[in-house]
């Protein structure tokens, strides 16, 4: 034996030996030397983006996977450790623009380089199952499942708001918008509405939530880190409340009542309905648009709100601002006239894009009312939990003082309605039920569950992704590509130049006969969000070369995955989308499992300390 460990000698020799034996290739249903079925174990790392070179984060991830695989093999398990490439996406387009080479070339050469690095590490990978998501044999099944979802009503076409760069004449991804300006042109970005495809993930919200929030659920993910379950729970964001309308007589330019004369709001605090002193609508709300038509100052304010970010996180940091519309709606229980404001803290994409303003009991409304001198009317008071008696020094809130936490309490033990007519003396939850009854008797509202989770918009106005299999015909509209014509192959030789999606200029891709009427038609040029690629690649590893089916017996044998390993940065979106996609595949009878990942290990991020 050598005194010194010389990796180049020892490891090269060992790896050559393993390769000769094809030591890491696994087959379904493998048996031990006694002829007994070995227990299966599927251990997988999140697939890398082929960015150029491996980094230490990759090395750490795959080392954990490798040790687990080797140890379980020694214990007699049939262990699958596969590897693949998350090969579509924006960085390849940016690199292509810089280097004036097609993204495909850059991507494939990075894959070759990184694969060489992984092989030099001697990882126990079954390379016969390698998958690159930019291969037509892979993304064909993205397209096929999309068509099944269209048929099942899980996918549908709707309009979506995108970031538009008026100088580069292109749609920008969120990360290409820096301080409200296009990353290349520096021009202020505009919001535009264009059609796109959505997957109805909200339909699965209850099931997605239950497996992370309810330990009684047979699919409960007890093998996941607590904090990842919690992050998913918060992201799904179930909120139970009341949705109801303030009736009004406001007519639009065409003479008809706007939204049928009903301003709908969603509230979790219907018990405070008697404390409403204003309503606030989002800047994009139809009443805001209507009021702005004759009011230049309001129009300017609305424009200002639309700039900047509109995500919940960005809105939370903004100073609460608003403007009156001069429009009034009717309180559904008291009949009082309530003024409608436009508020920059109201999200168009949540609930109904409008809120009832209860400044006495909502912190944002409190700040808003103080700023603009609106009434603050207290309608719940604090009581002693034991004597159930009102404590005089605390029942009165101070509308001119600072916000106190108890103003917002919804505790049945500590709070009772007051100044609220028929609701007086009720606890908050009793009052919510009573208010829902009163509103429902008038046909103006009912209890409702609202989700923070949004449907998944999958259309990207980008080149380097899975083509959405749709054909646009002047006569027949948006026609799905017939299954027999799949895959719709992405041309691999285009070079983006910054002036939008190069597919829009590629005649050989664009021009096609309509599958319905045969007339000349045009292919959809949007491609799919790359989160789709990573939503099921781990199932494709199980049946990597099946060209008759998306997945088959391999997935029946290996799934669910026993151990998934990856970065915490994927704790929300990737894992949620993969869970959703798996449930859709289950409902389409493609797989038997409801949850893809039995156990999850999220390693920390490896940072570069300077
Ligand atoms: C009146 C009220 C009074 C509210 C009160 C709270 C406290 P979660 O729990 O997140 O679902 N809301 C509803 N739609 C909104 C929108 N589009 N943009 C911004 N805020 C919106 O929060 C529900 C609460 O968020 C709702 O209950 C509503 O304010 C507000 F003392 O209604 B509440
Ligand atoms: Zn047609």
């Amino acid at each position: 034996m050598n005194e010194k460990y010389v990796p180049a000698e020892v490891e090269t020799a060992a790896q050559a030996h393993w390769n000769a034996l094809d030591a890491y290739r696994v087959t379904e249903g493998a048996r031990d030397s006694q002829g007994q079925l070995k227990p299966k174990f599927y251990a997988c790392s999140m697939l890398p983006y082929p960015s150029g070179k491996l980094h230490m984060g990759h090395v750490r991830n795959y080392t954990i996977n490798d040790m687990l695989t080797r140890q379980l093999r020694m214990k007699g398990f049939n262990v699958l450790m596969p590897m693949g490439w998350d090969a579509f996406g924006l960085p390849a387009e940016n690199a292509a623009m810089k280097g004036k080479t097609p993204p495909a070339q850059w991507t494939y050469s990075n894959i070759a380089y990184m694969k060489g690095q992984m092989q030099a590490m001697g990882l126990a990978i079954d390379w016969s199952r390698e998958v690159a998501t930019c291969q037509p044999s892979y993304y064909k099944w993205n397209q096929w499942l999309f068509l099944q979802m269209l048929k099942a009503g899980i996918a549908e076409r709707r309009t979506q708001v995108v970031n538009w760069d008026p100088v580069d004449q292109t749609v920008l991804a969120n990360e290409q918008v820096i301080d409200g300006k296009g990353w290349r042109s520096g021009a202020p970005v505009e919001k535009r509405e264009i059609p796109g495809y959505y997957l109805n993930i909200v339909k699965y919200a209850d099931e997605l939530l239950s497996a992370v929030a309810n330990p009684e659920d047979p699919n409960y993910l007890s093998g996941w880190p607590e904090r990842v379950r919690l992050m998913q729970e918060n992201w799904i964001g179930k909120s139970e409340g009341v949705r109801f309308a303030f009736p009004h007589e406001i007519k639009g330019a065409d003479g008809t009542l706007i939204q049928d004369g009903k301003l709908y709001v969603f509230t979790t605090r219907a018990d405070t309905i008697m404390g409403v002193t204003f309503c606030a609508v989002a800047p994009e709300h139809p009443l805001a648009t209507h009021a702005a038509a004759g009011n230049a100052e309001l129009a300017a304010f609305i424009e200002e709100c639309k700039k900047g970010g509109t995500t919940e996180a960005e809105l939370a940091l903004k100073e609460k601002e608003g403007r009156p519309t001069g429009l009034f709606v009717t309180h559904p229980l008291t009949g009082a006239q309530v003024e409608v404001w436009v508020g920059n803290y109201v999200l168009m994409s949540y609930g109904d894009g409008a809120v009832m303003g209860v400044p006495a009991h909502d912190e944002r409304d409190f700040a808003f009312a103080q700023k603009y001198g609106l009434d603050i009317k207290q309608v719940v008071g604090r009581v002693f939990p034991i004597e159930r008696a009102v404590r005089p020094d605390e029942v009165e809130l101070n509308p001119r003082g600072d916000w106190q936490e108890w103003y917002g309490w919804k505790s049945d033990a500590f709070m009772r309605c007051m100044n609220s007519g028929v609701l007086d003396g009720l606890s908050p939850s009793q009052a919510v039920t009573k208010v829902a009854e009163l509103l429902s008797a008038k046909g103006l509202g009912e209890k409702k569950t609202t989700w923070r989770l949004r449907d998944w918009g999958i259309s990207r106005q980008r080149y380097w992704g899975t083509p959405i299999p749709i054909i646009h015909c002047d006569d027949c509209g948006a026609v799905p590509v017939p299954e027999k014509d799949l895959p719709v192959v992405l041309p691999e030789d285009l070079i983006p130049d910054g002036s939008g999606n190069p597919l829009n200029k590629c005649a050989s891709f664009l021009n096609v006969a309509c599958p319905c009427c045969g007339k000349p038609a045009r292919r959809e040029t949007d491609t799919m969000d790359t989160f789709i690629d990573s939503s099921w690649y781990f199932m494709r590893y199980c049946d990597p070369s099946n060209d008759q089916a998306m997945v088959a017996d391999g997935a029946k044998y290996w799934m669910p995955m026993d151990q998934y390993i990856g970065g915490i940065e994927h704790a929300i979106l990737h894992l949620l989308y993969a869970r959703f996609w798996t449930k859709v595949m289950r409902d389409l009878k493609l797989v038997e499992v409801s949850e893809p990942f039995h156990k999850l290990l999220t390693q920390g991020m490896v940072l570069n300390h300077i």
Side-chain angles (χ1 to χ4, degrees), residues 50-220:
S51 52
K53 293 188 169 95
L54 292 185
H55 55 66
M56 284 317 289
H58 292 129
V59 173
R60 178 169 157 167
N61 212 38
Y62 308 141
T63 305
I64 297 170
N65 199 159
D66 191 62
M67 310 252 281
L68 188 69
T69 299
R70 288 173 189 279
Q71 198 228 11
L72 289 169
R73 270 168 61 106
M74 287 190 273
K75 282 188 167 167
F77 284 82
N78 188 29
V79 191
L80 170 59
M81 174 178 179
M83 189 53 68
W85 309 96
D86 190 12
F88 276 138
L90 200 51
E93 290 193 36
N94 295 340
M97 238 185 292
K98 252 202 218 145
K100 308 239 180 314
T101 48
Q105 203 177 311
W106 182 85
T107 304
Y108 285 119
S109 79
N110 287 349
I111 289 177
Y113 188 85
M114 290 166 74
K115 184 172 176 180
Q117 289 184 301
M118 280 189 204
Q119 284 172 327
M121 282 173 68
L123 300 170
I125 292 168
D126 178 354
W127 284 107
S128 74
R129 296 170 183 261
E130 181 180 359
V131 165
T133 59
C134 63
Q135 290 160 338
S137 57
Y138 181 77
Y139 65 68
K140 168 185 174 172
W141 299 106
N142 291 345
Q143 296 173 336
W144 180 82
L145 201 75
F146 173 78
L147 295 179
Q148 311 312 310
M149 290 192 192
L150 273 180
K151 270 192 238 160
I154 300 169
E156 66 181 26
R157 193 170 154 86
R158 298 183 207 156
T159 58
Q160 56 174 4
V161 178
V162 297
N163 306 308
W164 176 255
D165 184 321
V167 171
D168 273 352
Q169 294 281 305
T170 185
V171 173
L172 300 177
N174 283 339
E175 58 272 23
Q176 295 175 316
V177 180
I178 297 157
D179 291 334
K181 302 199 172 88
W183 68 304
R184 273 165 52 90
S185 68
V189 169
E190 296 167 9
K191 302 249 182 271
R192 279 207 180 177
E193 273 203 16
I194 59 170
Y197 286 88
Y198 282 82
L199 304 186
N200 193 349
I201 188 171
V202 178
K203 192 174 151 195
Y204 287 81
D206 258 319
E207 202 191 335
L208 289 165
L209 178 65
S210 178
V212 290
N214 174 15
E216 308 290 307
D217 188 310
N219 289 314
Y220 183 65

